[in-house]
Amino acid sequence: CHQEIVKFDLEIKAAVQDIRDCPGPLSALTELNAAVKEKFRHLRGRIQELEQMAKEQDKESEKQALLREVENHKKQMLSNQAAWRKANLACKIAIDNSEKDQLLQGRDSLRQRKTTKESLAESASNITESLMGISRMMSQQVQQSEETVQTLANSSRTILEANEEFKSMSGTIQLGRKLITKYNRRELTDKLLIFLALALFLATVLYILKKRLFPFL
């Protein structure tokens, strides 16, 4: 009987610790309390049996010794009951706090999702504006490229025209040179031919310069 009392006492202490550490929910706490109640019922029964055994002892010394043991077991049982009540109170407070934290986390999560949606909408708007800005920039670049190509085309035409004029001038110079070589033999007419050639050359140069410098005349 004494060994069974000690056994139930240890089991009750372990069960009380389980109640103190119980994370919830309340249904789990209820199951633990039911098990503790059953163990207390068995412990109480064994203490009563020990008390009855003490009363039946013939020797007064043995009787008193058993009664003192019974009293110690009763005190220990009362101590376990007090610890049981405290463990229940601490567990219920912890479960209530946990439920409040979960509720607050749920609210924070909803608020965070709302903030995230607003941030995504703002980001999408910023991206759209950036794309529009890039599109406008590309359009301006294309327009500038077209203007550059047109300028290059005009410059190319101007160079081709100048090249043609230089060719014409080169042909005139060659013609004058041939005339000078041809009439170089004649002493009387050399100066005249040279003069004419130079005059023709100068006239050609003046004509080109006039065309280049004073196109409006």
Side-chain angles (χ1 to χ4, degrees):
C1 185
H2 175 74
Q3 292 180 352
E4 290 182 353
I5 291 174
V6 173
K7 173 178 174 291
F8 284 121
D9 179 72
L10 294 175
E11 290 179 352
I12 288 172
K13 284 184 171 61
V16 169
Q17 186 62 40
D18 290 339
I19 290 174
R20 187 179 296 277
D21 297 336
C22 179
L26 288 176
S27 58
L29 178 61
T30 301
E31 292 179 0
L32 291 173
N33 280 322
V36 173
K37 287 180 182 179
E38 186 66 17
K39 293 180 186 300
F40 269 116
R41 187 179 66 81
H42 288 296
L43 177 61
R44 194 176 295 109
R46 296 300 180 270
I47 292 175
Q48 289 175 355
E49 290 177 3
L50 184 61
E51 186 177 12
Q52 183 64 33
M53 185 185 300
K55 291 178 181 180
E56 294 175 354
Q57 294 298 317
D58 294 332
K59 292 182 179 182
E60 186 64 23
S61 59
E62 293 180 358
K63 178 179 180 180
Q64 292 300 323
L66 288 175
L67 287 175
R68 284 194 299 271
E69 187 176 347
V70 169
E71 188 65 23
N72 290 334
H73 287 312
K74 285 182 178 180
K75 288 180 180 179
Q76 186 61 43
M77 184 176 66
L78 291 175
S79 176
N80 287 336
Q81 287 176 342
W84 181 30
R85 287 191 295 270
K86 290 180 180 179
N88 268 283
L89 180 60
C91 183
K92 288 180 180 179
I93 292 174
I95 292 174
D96 290 341
N97 291 334
S98 177
E99 290 177 351
K100 289 179 181 178
D101 291 340
Q102 290 178 358
L103 181 61
L104 291 176
Q105 289 177 359
R107 292 178 180 175
D108 292 340
S109 178
L110 289 174
R111 190 180 298 111
Q112 185 177 4
R113 285 199 294 270
K114 182 179 179 181
T115 304
T116 302
K117 289 181 180 179
E118 293 176 353
S119 299
L120 289 174
E122 184 177 357
S123 299
S125 178
N126 293 335
I127 291 172
T128 301
E129 292 180 359
S130 298
L131 291 175
M132 292 179 64
I134 292 173
S135 178
R136 287 193 296 269
M137 186 182 299
M138 291 179 66
S139 178
Q140 292 175 358
Q141 291 294 332
V142 170
Q143 185 176 359
Q144 291 177 0
S145 298
E146 292 178 352
E147 293 176 354
T148 301
V149 171
Q150 185 64 34
T151 301
L152 290 174
N154 293 335
S155 299
S156 178
R157 283 196 298 271
T158 302
I159 292 172
L160 290 174
E161 291 175 357
N163 188 31
E164 292 295 329
E165 291 178 358
F166 283 127
K167 287 181 179 180
S168 177
M169 184 179 65
S170 178
T172 303
I173 293 172
Q174 290 178 359
L175 178 61
R177 183 178 300 169
K178 289 179 181 180
L179 290 174
I180 292 172
T181 302
K182 181 178 180 181
Y183 294 102
N184 190 32
R185 300 170 186 175
R186 299 178 182 181
E187 294 180 356
L188 295 177
T189 59
D190 276 348
K191 293 181 179 179
L192 179 60
L193 291 175
I194 292 171
F195 176 78
L196 291 175
L198 289 174
L200 180 61
F201 173 76
L202 291 175
T204 303
V205 172
L206 289 175
Y207 176 76
I208 292 173
L209 292 176
K210 176 185 175 184
K211 288 292 184 179
R212 298 295 295 172
L213 298 177
F214 306 98
F216 53 90
L217 295 178

